[in-house]
């Protein structure tokens, strides 16, 4: 049976240089996390169709490194880490299926490596169950193969906190020290602000609590964060007028960060909405959100179990990092997206899994079959709900992306072919599908002026996309137009196709 850290971390420090107990190096300690990672990879390939087209944000990220379409406008909150992660595929291939398979394999490997870090800190059955709990959430399966940064922040958070605990319990564990730096760099590479929120408890401990101070560990964490964020900071000065200006722009684009309770918004998004903005729908049915309310209760039980087992630090630290990671998305933003809380779910998985194992193993032998049956039924119901929500999210996303592809084909038929420019409603993702540039004169993605757009339309095939119930912008009212689905396509004078309204 795997050994665990059964003494407080502080007490272990006093006995330094004693090594922290380690899980024996045997294949059993690796098999179950590996099984979870492989099952997670297969679930992505089976349930999130590799042929599903790219979403809005994915089009932005992929366009930065793709030869298929010009780079889309890159707004202040975004970071280029995920674009660089997919560059080995997206830079030479336009195949979405190949990109999905690549990311599914990579995300499965990332989950395995993050779980492996926790070997020896918790029994292998807790670690494997934690991975399974995280990997079976619909939002995890959906975003594993997506060109989005949030899953990778979650993996960096899970691995980073585990490495931090290992480095604290064994000063000679150089691999853990490097792991802290690499995990921090991964998080900051993907989303610098999220990386700071996740790392906040670690920084506070290293700076403010004498018994936790480790200069080399602090250096590894700070250097990792800096190395991951250096490109984002450099771009702030090169393109946004400085770091303060970029942060202000990012806040404005997200509706103005400040005290704003978004808990209900996150609840509303649990029905499978990838973005809830504005978030005005009703709260989903109880069976869809019961798991969300069970999480903090199980996490609290996990903490109680850890305190009784005298391994409080190993549970309290991931809980603290999960709490700080969730603060901006539960209390500081005016909309919701389920992917924002992926780091929260990943870190919470460890204490929740510990609580589940305790519920089963600590029950009296006479009651154990009943407890096991109840836990199994709850797990089966949870899985059924998660995959029903996942199916709906995949269907809706696939339909929207197919519609963008059809609109792109219609634009080509109308003479709007590369090199070309699109503006208006949903112009950014449709432009990616059409191989065009996108340009907006107002809104979060504003990148040109009306005068420049009119001049461009005289020499470059240009189209303005407008919902059928709305009037076109003034400069496009004299352009020939055609209705296509819910859009009216207004084609500029440089396009060659003859169009009748």
């Amino acid at each position: 049976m795997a050994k665990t850290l059964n003494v407080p971390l502080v007490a272990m420090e006093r006995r330094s240089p004693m090594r922290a107990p380690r899980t024996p190096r045997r294949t059993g300690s690796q098999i179950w996390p590996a099984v979870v990672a492989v099952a997670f990879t297969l679930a992505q390939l089976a349930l999130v169709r590799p042929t599903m087209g790219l979403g809005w944000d994915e089009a932005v990220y992929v366009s930065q490194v793709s030869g298929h379409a010009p780079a889309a406008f890159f707004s202040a909150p975004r970071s280029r880490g995920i674009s660089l992660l997919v560059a080995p595929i997206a830079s030479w291939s336009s195949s979405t299926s190949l990109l999905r398979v690549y990311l599914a394999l990579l995300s499965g490997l990332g989950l395995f490596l993050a779980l492996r870090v926790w070997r020896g800190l918790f029994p292998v059955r807790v670690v494997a169950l934690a991975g399974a709990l995280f990997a079976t959430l619909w939002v995890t399966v959906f975003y594993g193969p997506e060109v989005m940064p949030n899953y990778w922040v979650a993996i960096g958070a899970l691995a980073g906190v585990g490495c931090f605990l290992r480095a604290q319990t064994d000063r000679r564990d150089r691999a853990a020290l490097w792991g802290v730096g690499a995990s921090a760099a991964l998080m900051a590479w993907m989303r610098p602000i999220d990386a700071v929120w996740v790392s906040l408890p670690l920084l506070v401990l290293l700076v403010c609590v004498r018994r936790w101070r480790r200069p080399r560990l602090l250096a590894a964490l700070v250097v990792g964060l800096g190395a991951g964020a250096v490109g984002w900071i450099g771009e702030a000065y090169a393109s946004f007028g400085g770091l303060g200006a970029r942060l202000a722009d990012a806040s404005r684009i997200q509706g103005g960060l400040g005290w704003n309770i978004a808990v209900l918004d996150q609840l509303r998004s649990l029905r499978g909405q990838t973005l809830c903005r504005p978030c005005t729908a009703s709260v989903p049915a109880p069976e869809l959100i019961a798991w969300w309310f069970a999480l903090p209760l199980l996490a609290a039980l996990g903490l109680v179990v850890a305190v009784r087992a005298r391994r409080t630090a190993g549970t309290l630290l991931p809980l603290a990092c999960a709490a700080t990671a969730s603060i901006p998305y539960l209390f500081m933003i005016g909309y919701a997206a389920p992917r924002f809380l992926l780091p929260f779910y990943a870190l919470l998985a460890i204490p929740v899994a510990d609580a589940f194992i305790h519920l089963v193993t600590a029950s009296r032998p006479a009651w154990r079959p009943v407890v096991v049956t109840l836990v199994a039924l709850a797990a089966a119901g949870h899985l059924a709900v998660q995959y029903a929500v996942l199916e709906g999210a995949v269907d809706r996303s696939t339909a929207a992306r197919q519609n963008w592809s059809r609109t792109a084909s219609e634009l080509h038929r109308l003479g709007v072919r590369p090199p070309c420019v699109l503006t208006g409603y949903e112009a950014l993702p449709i432009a990616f599908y059409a191989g065009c540039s996108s340009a907006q004169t107002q809104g979060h993605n504003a990148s040109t002026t009306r005068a420049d757009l009119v001049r461009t339309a005289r020499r470059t095939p240009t189209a303005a996309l407008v919902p059928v119930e709305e009037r076109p912008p003034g400069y496009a009212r004299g352009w020939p137009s055609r209705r296509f689905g819910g859009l009216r396509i207004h084609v500029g004078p440089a396009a060659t196709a003859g169009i009748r309204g």
Side-chain angles (χ1 to χ4, degrees), residues 19-20 22 116-118 121 159-184 216-217 220-221:
R19 279 187 173 273
R22 301 296 179 120
R116 191 175 184 275
V117 167
W118 289 85
L121 298 173
V161 174
C163 286
F164 183 91
L165 287 167
R166 299 185 80 91
Q168 281 285 352
T169 56
D170 185 356
R171 297 188 183 189
R172 292 172 289 183
D173 193 339
R174 297 179 64 86
L177 197 66
W178 281 99
V180 168
S183 300
R216 293 172 64 191
L217 186 53
L221 181 58

Side-chain angles (χ1 to χ4, degrees), residues 149 385 481:
V385 166
S481 67

Side-chain angles (χ1 to χ4, degrees), residues 475-494:
Y475 61 82
R477 287 175 189 166
W479 294 357
S481 67
R482 173 161 300 183
R483 179 170 178 169
F484 184 78
L487 292 177
R488 184 159 282 277
I489 302 172
H490 298 262
V491 179

Side-chain angles (χ1 to χ4, degrees), residues 42-54:
L42 295 176
Q44 295 174 69
L45 296 174
L47 302 174
V48 184
R49 302 160 195 153
T51 56
M52 183 175 67
L54 298 179

Side-chain angles (χ1 to χ4, degrees), residues 7-331:
V7 293
L9 206 56
V10 170
M12 291 197 66
E13 292 178 23
R14 292 177 184 150
R15 293 186 240 166
S16 186
M18 180 187 294
R19 279 187 173 273
R22 301 296 179 120
T23 302
R25 291 183 177 276
R26 60 190 184 206
T27 56
S29 65
Q30 304 283 352
I31 287 176
W32 288 111
V35 168
V36 169
V38 170
F40 173 54
T41 300
L42 295 176
Q44 295 174 69
L45 296 174
L47 302 174
V48 184
R49 302 160 195 153
T51 56
M52 183 175 67
L54 298 179
W56 185 310
D57 293 291
E58 289 185 293
V60 175
Y61 290 122
V62 172
S63 72
Q64 308 304 308
V65 294
S66 173
H68 168 68
F73 178 77
F74 206 76
S75 61
R78 302 186 188 277
S79 183
R80 298 184 182 274
I82 191 65
S83 297
L84 297 176
L85 186 70
V86 300
I89 300 298
S91 60
W92 60 271
S93 174
S94 61
S95 170
T96 302
S97 297
L98 182 60
L99 191 58
R100 297 276 186 235
V101 171
Y102 165 74
L103 284 172
L105 294 171
L106 206 59
S107 61
L109 176 62
L111 180 62
F112 171 71
L113 294 176
L115 293 175
R116 191 175 184 275
V117 167
W118 289 85
R119 185 186 59 167
L121 298 173
F122 283 86
V124 67
R125 59 186 178 181
V126 172
V127 175
L129 179 58
L133 290 173
F134 177 62
T136 52
L137 293 176
W138 76 263
V139 64
T140 310
V141 180
F142 187 86
Y143 282 104
E146 290 259 312
V147 189
M148 297 293 284
N150 310 87
Y151 173 82
W152 297 102
V153 176
I155 291 299
L158 185 62
V161 174
C163 286
F164 183 91
L165 287 167
R166 299 185 80 91
Q168 281 285 352
T169 56
D170 185 356
R171 297 188 183 189
R172 292 172 289 183
D173 193 339
R174 297 179 64 86
L177 197 66
W178 281 99
V180 168
S183 300
L186 174 63
M187 290 191 292
W189 195 39
M190 294 294 166
R191 290 183 71 88
I193 306 303
D194 286 10
V196 173
W197 281 105
V198 170
S199 304
L200 194 57
L202 310 182
L203 292 167
V204 169
L205 285 175
L206 290 170
V207 173
C208 302
V209 181
R210 183 176 62 84
R211 289 174 177 170
W212 286 72
R213 289 176 186 166
R214 297 283 187 275
R216 293 172 64 191
L217 186 53
L218 177 61
L221 181 58
V222 172
V223 170
L225 290 172
V230 66
W232 194 83
I233 295 171
E235 188 179 39
Y237 286 97
S239 304
F240 294 91
L243 183 58
R246 183 167 197 174
L247 290 171
D249 283 351
S251 175
R252 176 183 54 80
I253 288 171
Q254 295 177 85
L257 297 180
W259 181 248
N260 191 355
I261 300 177
V263 176
L264 279 178
D265 291 343
Q266 286 291 346
L267 274 176
R268 293 184 180 109
S269 72
L270 292 180
R271 60 167 44 90
Q273 290 179 263
T274 54
L275 180 64
C276 196
R277 185 178 189 182
C279 213
T280 56
S282 60
V283 174
E287 62 270 18
L288 297 183
I289 59 176
W291 68 273
W292 209 68
F293 289 99
L295 278 179
L297 298 177
L298 289 167
L301 176 59
L303 181 58
V304 171
V305 171
V307 171
R308 289 179 176 177
R310 296 178 60 80
R311 47 178 168 79
T312 307
T315 296
L316 188 57
L317 195 57
L319 285 177
C321 292
T324 56
S326 70
I327 286 173
Y329 299 116
L330 293 179
F331 304 108

